[in-house]
Amino acid sequence: AERVYAPWLDMEEEMRCRRIPLFSLETGTEISSFDFLGFSLQYELLITNTLNMLDLASIPLRAAERGLAHPFVVGGGPCVYNAEPMAAFFDFFLLGDGEEAVSEICDVMIAWKKEGCPEGRLGFLRRVAALPGIYVPSFYEPQYDENGAFSGVTLLDRAARPAVYRRVVKNLDETPFLERPIVPYLGIVHDRIMLELFRGCTRGCRFCQAGMMYRPVRERSADNIVAAAIRGLAETGYDEVSLTSLSTTDHSQIEEILRRLNRAFEGKGISVSVPSQRLDSFGVEMAELVAGGKRGGLTFAPEAGTQRLRDVINKNVTEEDLFGAISAAFSAGWRRCKLYFMIGLPTETDDDIKGIASLVQRAYDVAKKSVPEDQRGSVRMSASCALFVPKAQTPFQWDGQIPPEEAYRRIGLLRRSVKYRAVDIHWHEPDGSIVEAMMSRGGREVADVVETAWRMGARFDAWTEFFSL
């Protein structure tokens, strides 16, 4: 098993000029010679990079055009919970947790090759389709009514299951951490040890795909986490450990874990970061445990500006929770705070937009009152607003998305409603969210759009400097 990454634009140009095929990180082997090429599809706007990598590896873009000499292209990750827009490009998909399923897929491949590859690629796909969690798109044909709306699916092969259910690993302690990651010689985004404390989330926000698809909550034990952190640092030489989960401070043993890590790393110059805080004073207490003398910025996610809309989206926090957390944080030495919101949530009105401005300004007032008078000039409060995208397999998947012109109107209303110059408002450009929604809720007709965009030069669409609607 080896790794491969999308080359940056300058390297891609060099590879195409010199006719260097895409190759693996570990041994420099041409990707086209592997049995499988697997993509972890984390974000909808990266689909053109996927096509570009297939082309650089000289693998036909469409599964129907591949022969026995080509790898089987498999997709996993969050985006495959609606695999249809990408179905034409993949031989099969793995839905859900991959730790156990990957070994089973390899066993099927080994047996099929030992028998001389009976029935060719179709023979392998029939065998692998028998595994739980495997979806082979070519075994299914979508049906549409007279208005062009999706109406159902026809099974095309005897191996096709009527329904494909996701894989769930029951005991995370039995799945090993990656304790010896490659240590890069250049700056990367996550330049630290990353440890997953638990999978799933107890919150149940109705817009959140990750909270739905990683259910149920499964925790790693405190012993497992602490031992992995110590081993990982010894193997890599990193000086930071990031405890990552959807809501890290919801782990039932989080306080014990943080205290044990603090004792283990005391005096060694090693920092522990908790990227997702609970929106209450306990979350701030846990942030204090890991911050030591460093007080960067804290991030909280109220998501909506009014209690009415927070109830609609099932975000079970109140203004009192937020103000209590901010008061505790700024009293404890923090001076910067960012609040995350969404615009365009189902049932949202202009009053909810104005509520964001009101909430942020009142949060700023609470923060200022919580610090000594001579330090109030250093208090910073910002709000970051994303556009709601209906995601597959969530309660809000059918609710639609507001058009870009309406999104800009609501952003303008928000900006006019904020009267404090010390409060910064940031927002995501709606154009990218429109494509994200198309990929999240579209059908197989989207594949032609994606391929056309790629042929017209679409690359790294998640980078704002490259995105073109």
Side-chain angles (χ1 to χ4, degrees):
E2 305 190 27
R3 283 168 280 194
V4 61
Y5 298 92
W8 196 246
L9 300 178
D10 55 353
M11 184 63 172
E12 180 197 339
E13 184 180 356
E14 201 67 26
M15 290 170 71
R16 290 191 185 281
C17 284
R18 301 188 187 203
R19 299 190 177 178
I20 298 171
L22 193 65
F23 54 86
S24 67
L25 179 69
E26 278 80 359
T27 62
T29 304
E30 289 186 21
I31 296 303
S32 59
S33 68
F34 283 80
D35 292 305
F36 297 111
L37 173 57
F39 289 95
S40 182
L41 300 163
Q42 297 287 336
Y43 181 44
E44 289 85 356
L45 290 184
L46 297 178
I47 183 63
T48 53
N49 276 26
T50 306
L51 298 194
N52 203 44
M53 291 174 72
L54 289 172
D55 187 63
L56 283 168
S58 297
I59 298 170
L61 296 189
R62 304 223 171 201
E65 298 165 4
R66 295 177 198 136
L68 265 179
H70 298 116
F72 287 90
V73 180
V74 52
C79 292
V80 306
Y81 282 75
N82 173 29
E84 296 307 275
M86 305 167 288
F89 310 121
F90 285 82
D91 292 290
F92 65 97
F93 294 95
L94 165 60
L95 277 65
D97 298 334
E99 286 90 344
E100 296 166 344
V102 165
S103 296
E104 296 169 16
I105 292 167
C106 291
D107 287 340
V108 171
M109 168 64 71
I110 290 165
W112 175 72
K113 289 180 81 171
K114 277 185 178 174
E115 294 170 28
C117 306
E119 295 185 274
R121 290 178 78 86
L122 177 62
F124 172 79
L125 291 173
R126 282 176 172 159
R127 293 185 184 203
V128 83
L131 297 177
I134 300 299
Y135 171 51
V136 181
S138 59
F139 289 176
Y140 303 83
E141 183 179 11
Q143 302 297 318
Y144 299 89
D145 64 20
E146 63 275 7
N147 299 316
F150 174 79
S151 60
V153 171
T154 300
L155 276 57
L156 301 179
D157 192 277
R158 65 176 186 270
R161 292 166 178 255
V164 180
Y165 294 93
R166 67 188 174 99
R167 296 293 294 263
V168 177
V169 171
K170 292 184 176 152
N171 186 347
L172 286 190
D173 276 347
E174 293 177 0
T175 63
F177 279 113
L178 177 63
E179 290 165 359
R180 299 185 66 186
I182 286 179
V183 180
Y185 52 80
L186 74 169
I188 60 170
V189 176
H190 297 294
D191 211 357
R192 58 189 72 90
I193 291 283
M194 309 282 287
L195 295 180
E196 179 191 43
L197 271 63
F198 62 93
R199 207 165 286 177
C201 183
T202 59
R203 302 284 166 163
C205 299
R206 293 189 171 109
F207 59 83
C208 180
Q209 188 182 45
M212 297 295 162
M213 71 188 201
Y214 289 125
R215 288 180 171 189
V217 173
R218 291 146 291 153
E219 292 187 347
R220 294 185 187 272
S221 65
D223 289 345
N224 186 280
I225 292 162
V226 172
I230 292 169
R231 280 198 303 272
L233 289 165
E235 292 282 1
T236 61
Y238 276 123
D239 60 4
E240 183 181 350
V241 178
S242 182
L243 306 178
T244 59
S245 287
L246 291 174
S247 181
T248 300
T249 43
D250 281 341
H251 192 289
S252 62
Q253 296 176 288
I254 186 62
E255 188 167 358
E256 177 194 342
I257 291 165
L258 292 175
R259 293 192 186 282
R260 286 174 63 179
L261 289 176
N262 279 348
R263 286 197 299 272
F265 302 146
E266 192 173 0
K268 296 181 178 176
I270 291 167
S271 62
V272 180
S273 64
V274 178
S276 52
Q277 264 94 30
R278 267 167 48 163
L279 217 163
D280 57 19
S281 53
F282 178 76
V284 175
E285 286 175 36
M286 296 304 97
E288 275 194 86
L289 262 182
V290 301
K294 293 186 288 186
R295 293 286 192 275
L298 279 183
T299 300
F300 298 113
E303 305 293 2
T306 62
Q307 192 61 47
R308 181 201 70 81
L309 191 51
R310 284 193 292 276
D311 291 342
V312 168
I313 66 176
N314 202 33
K315 184 76 178 183
N316 296 313
V317 297
T318 64
E319 291 185 0
E320 290 71 29
D321 294 329
L322 174 63
F323 296 154
I326 288 173
S327 178
F330 281 78
S331 298
W334 273 274
R335 294 296 176 262
R336 289 184 291 116
C337 182
K338 178 184 282 189
L339 304 179
Y340 279 117
F341 296 92
M342 279 192 184
I343 286 177
L345 286 162
T347 79
E348 183 180 76
T349 67
D350 283 2
D351 286 341
D352 297 307
I353 298 293
K354 293 174 184 175
I356 295 175
S358 171
L359 189 63
V360 176
Q361 290 177 163
R362 285 180 289 140
Y364 177 75
D365 290 337
V366 169
K368 283 189 75 172
K369 285 179 185 171
S370 305
V371 304
E373 200 166 328
D374 62 333
Q375 296 181 27
R376 289 178 180 173
S378 62
V379 171
R380 292 288 178 271
M381 187 72 59
S382 66
S384 180
C385 301
L387 184 63
F388 165 71
V389 175
K391 295 283 186 167
Q393 314 296 347
T394 66
F396 284 164
Q397 67 178 344
W398 309 116
D399 279 273
Q401 186 181 54
I402 59 174
E405 56 272 18
E406 175 62 14
Y408 281 118
R409 187 193 71 80
R410 296 187 194 188
I411 291 166
L413 175 62
L414 173 59
R415 294 179 69 195
R416 291 191 301 275
S417 301
V418 174
K419 307 303 182 188
Y420 289 10
R421 293 180 66 182
V423 172
D424 295 320
I425 302 293
H426 307 275
W427 62 92
H428 296 191
E429 291 297 326
D431 282 355
S433 299
I434 294 295
V435 178
E436 192 180 331
M438 177 187 76
M439 293 296 300
S440 176
R441 300 298 305 122
R444 294 194 182 183
E445 69 281 357
V446 174
D448 292 339
V449 181
V450 169
E451 184 173 342
T452 302
W454 170 75
R455 293 194 184 280
M456 292 172 68
R459 309 274 192 284
F460 291 99
D461 301 311
W463 281 253
T464 52
E465 66 266 36
F466 297 127
F467 179 82
S468 166
L469 185 61

